[in-house]
Amino acid sequence: KAGVTQTPRYLIKTRGQQVTLSCSPISGHRSVSWYQQTPGQGLQFLFEYFSETQRNKGNFPGRFSGRQFSNSRSEMNVSTLELGDSALYLCASSLHGTDTQYFGPGTRLTVL
Amino acid sequence: GESVGLHLPTLSVQEGDNSIINCAYSNSASDYFIWYKQESGKGPQFIIDIRSNMDKRQGQRVTVLLNKTVKHLSLQIAATQPGDSAVYFCAENDGADKLIFGTGTRLQVFP
């Protein structure tokens, strides 16, 4: 069974731009969670989607948003990029959200 | 790949020795705990999990111990190998379906 895939793997943007990241979960998994990882803050939860509905949200500004499609694929969007948004963005999928989450390789976003 | 953390606690062990990585969790309502391994440039990889109704669980070369009284979790790796070098994170499911990650511990294995 294929693992979690994320595209693109690397992205360079400038301040003020917006970006969309994509995540394809493991087949059959209905829950997709997004995390931001930085050296200073570690792994921080952004939000979780289950059956196209956002079920949980972390403490991030409204510039960070997401959605999930009927095939469970998910996208996250960051608008008006700031330098501090430079990070590794990780997506994880699980069957129900309360069970084990499996991570993708991440998208490395650099904001210049 | 870029380092996942510049100021992580580091555990250095000799190849063949056993490693013990510790983690304190915060929420007494957490009922599910997971250990992840993250190698440079990769996403976290599931190692082993344990539910709050257990105090020990064993996998292949790994054992997780849970002490709910003091809210402490540990990961034991037997016969540590160079391929075990990575950053290890504990995570707790806070009961609201969110994973809360610890800060991580860097394991370095030297010959």
Side-chain angles (χ1 to χ4, degrees):
Chain A
K1 190 181 274 191
V4 178
T5 58
Q6 292 186 246
T7 57
R9 291 294 313 277
Y10 302 91
L11 207 48
I12 299 175
K13 292 286 188 178
T14 56
R15 279 183 302 172
Q17 288 186 309
Q18 75 165 19
V19 66
T20 299
L21 312 181
S22 181
C23 171
S24 292
I26 292 171
S27 178
H29 284 192
R30 296 169 65 189
S31 169
V32 173
S33 298
W34 288 89
Y35 297 85
Q36 181 195 64
Q37 186 173 36
T38 59
Q41 299 297 320
L43 269 159
Q44 292 188 292
F45 172 77
L46 279 156
F47 28 66
E48 186 235 355
Y49 285 87
F50 183 85
S51 293
E52 301 179 66
T53 300
Q54 186 181 87
R55 246 185 352 187
N56 272 301
K57 192 175 189 306
N59 296 323
F60 279 81
R63 300 185 297 108
F64 292 80
S65 63
R67 59 178 176 168
Q68 186 180 34
F69 301 95
S70 59
N71 62 357
S72 294
R73 190 177 69 85
S74 177
E75 290 180 347
M76 68 163 280
N77 184 277
V78 188
S79 62
T80 319
L81 284 166
E82 301 176 0
L83 295 178
D85 297 333
S86 295
L88 181 68
Y89 289 89
L90 291 159
C91 159
S93 79
S94 67
L95 282 168
H96 312 294
T98 56
D99 52 328
T100 304
Q101 296 187 16
Y102 296 91
F103 283 82
T107 294
R108 171 74 60 192
L109 172 64
T110 301
V111 181
L112 303 176
Chain B
E2 191 173 310
S3 169
V4 301
L6 299 179
H7 304 291
L8 294 174
T10 299
L11 174 66
S12 296
V13 300
Q14 190 164 24
E15 182 178 356
D17 285 353
N18 296 333
S19 303
I20 300 177
I21 301 171
N22 296 303
C23 175
Y25 64 92
S26 56
N27 189 341
S28 56
S30 294
D31 58 1
Y32 180 53
F33 305 87
I34 311 169
W35 280 100
Y36 287 94
K37 169 187 180 184
Q38 188 172 24
E39 296 173 284
S40 185
K42 297 183 180 180
Q45 174 189 357
F46 170 83
I47 302 173
I48 192 167
D49 58 1
I50 188 167
R51 296 211 173 264
S52 58
N53 60 352
M54 304 172 69
D55 52 21
K56 180 179 180 179
R57 189 159 188 227
Q58 288 184 292
Q60 187 176 14
R61 281 202 308 119
V62 294
T63 300
V64 56
L65 299 178
L66 175 62
N67 185 329
K68 294 180 287 292
T69 303
V70 295
K71 292 190 286 186
H72 183 268
L73 199 63
S74 69
L75 177 70
Q76 300 178 0
I77 305 173
T80 313
Q81 302 169 0
D84 295 327
S85 294
V87 176
Y88 289 80
F89 293 96
C90 66
E92 57 182 299
N93 186 313
D94 66 352
D97 302 332
K98 297 197 304 293
L99 278 185
I100 310 297
F101 282 83
T103 52
T105 297
R106 187 181 307 280
L107 176 65
Q108 293 180 333
V109 182
F110 57 93

